Amino acid sequence: MARVKICPRCGRLNPPSSSICLSDECSWDLTGIRAENLREESPVPAPETGASPDCGGQKPEPAVSRNSGPEVSPAPEPRPAPGSSLAPEIPPGKIYVRICPGCGTENRAVAKVCTACRQDIRMVPKTLADRKTGTGTADSPRPAVPENTLIAVLKSPDGTELLRIDSEHPVHVIGREHTLMEYLAGRDYTSRRHAELVVSGKRLVIRDFGKPNGTFINNVRMAAESAETLKDGDRVSLGGIWEEDWKSSLAGCFTVSYPGRS
């Protein structure tokens, strides 16, 4: 017995894990739709071709129970009709999309990450947009590849440039065995995979990986596995507070600079 999600708008049968109707003409939100068991009809047995020898060469009539009435199949459960208040029609030429709050890119309604800036958009509500501009639809042109843009520069406490982060490389894992591994060599309070920097629009977001020594912004410890947007001039230390004698510190330290912005 298969389980499916039945779209209340177009009636399409979708997999039970679908969050949106897979029909390109519909794309209805199935988040609140419960999966149903698709009942398969049992095959009707073929009638016997042989005649019983005790019936004079004639086929025996089927026995009829006098204690039971005719079998009645259960009535199907009612489903919302297209055009009802439970399944409002999508205007012609429209489609549901998720608009990234960081860069404004229109993404398909099923997208979890923005295709342009890689920001998490799972909590962004779906909105209607013109079908011809909806990213990833069958009849829409592909968006132009944005020009590579410098987003931020990471510097050591003495002002030495450590890393330039641009729009073509929006994600960096920071740690003793990842990005900045040479600079962080010997910083034993910093984990091998300590935190992550992600471009969000024109800013950087740092996400802590929940390591025991923690991640600090301006000497304030972040909540474990949380994320915060970094401002120009923020001082980040991995594994401990920012110390004036940073060269002998076992925590990795760097500042964030946004060129041309503050």
Side-chain angles (χ1 to χ4, degrees):
M1 187 178 295
R3 290 178 62 81
V4 296
K5 279 188 177 180
I6 303 176
C7 176
R9 179 175 180 270
C10 68
R12 179 189 175 102
L13 304 182
N14 298 272
S17 60
S18 297
S19 60
I20 189 172
C21 181
L22 299 182
S23 172
D24 289 337
E25 299 299 328
C26 180
S27 298
W28 184 251
D29 188 355
L30 302 179
T31 304
I33 304 299
R34 297 182 62 181
E36 302 180 19
N37 290 325
L38 185 62
R39 181 175 300 172
E40 299 179 358
E41 297 183 356
S42 301
V44 179
E48 297 181 2
T49 57
S52 172
D54 297 333
C55 298
Q58 298 180 355
K59 297 180 182 179
E61 295 183 0
V64 178
S65 174
R66 297 185 179 182
N67 298 327
S68 61
E71 183 179 354
V72 179
S73 59
E77 296 181 2
R79 296 174 186 165
S84 67
S85 59
L86 295 179
E89 292 287 343
I90 299 177
K94 297 289 186 177
I95 191 171
Y96 278 100
V97 298
R98 279 192 172 124
I99 301 177
C100 176
C103 66
T105 299
E106 291 182 359
N107 301 269
R108 291 197 62 167
V110 295
K112 298 180 180 180
V113 178
C114 176
T115 56
C117 68
R118 310 304 297 171
Q119 181 174 343
D120 189 335
I121 57 173
R122 284 175 291 183
M123 301 304 294
V124 176
K126 304 178 183 70
T127 56
L128 282 173
D130 293 336
R131 185 173 179 80
K132 63 181 180 180
T133 60
T135 302
T137 58
D139 54 356
S140 63
R142 289 183 175 271
V145 177
E147 183 180 353
N148 186 27
T149 304
L150 177 64
I151 302 298
V153 178
L154 306 187
K155 299 180 180 180
S156 65
D158 63 358
T160 302
E161 185 175 303
L162 301 174
L163 178 66
R164 298 170 71 88
I165 299 178
D166 55 42
S167 57
E168 285 190 355
H169 305 86
V171 180
H172 292 270
V173 175
I174 307 297
R176 289 187 289 110
E177 291 187 358
H178 291 272
T179 303
L180 301 184
M181 58 186 303
E182 295 182 0
Y183 172 69
L184 295 174
R187 313 286 181 178
D188 293 341
Y189 288 175
T190 301
S191 299
R192 292 174 293 180
R193 189 175 180 271
H194 198 101
E196 182 180 58
L197 293 172
V198 180
V199 173
S200 177
K202 296 183 179 180
R203 296 287 176 178
L204 282 182
V205 173
I206 186 169
R207 182 166 67 93
D208 176 71
F209 283 163
K211 301 302 180 181
N213 293 334
T215 301
F216 295 76
I217 303 175
N218 300 322
N219 279 348
V220 177
R221 182 166 182 162
M222 296 176 59
E225 298 184 358
S226 65
E228 292 190 26
T229 301
L230 296 172
K231 301 184 296 295
D232 187 72
D234 275 350
R235 300 191 302 177
V236 179
S237 49
L238 309 176
I241 62 172
W242 185 289
E243 298 180 2
E244 294 301 325
D245 186 14
W246 61 273
K247 290 186 177 180
S248 61
S249 174
L250 295 179
C253 306
F254 60 85
T255 61
V256 178
S257 174
Y258 295 111
R261 301 188 298 275
S262 59

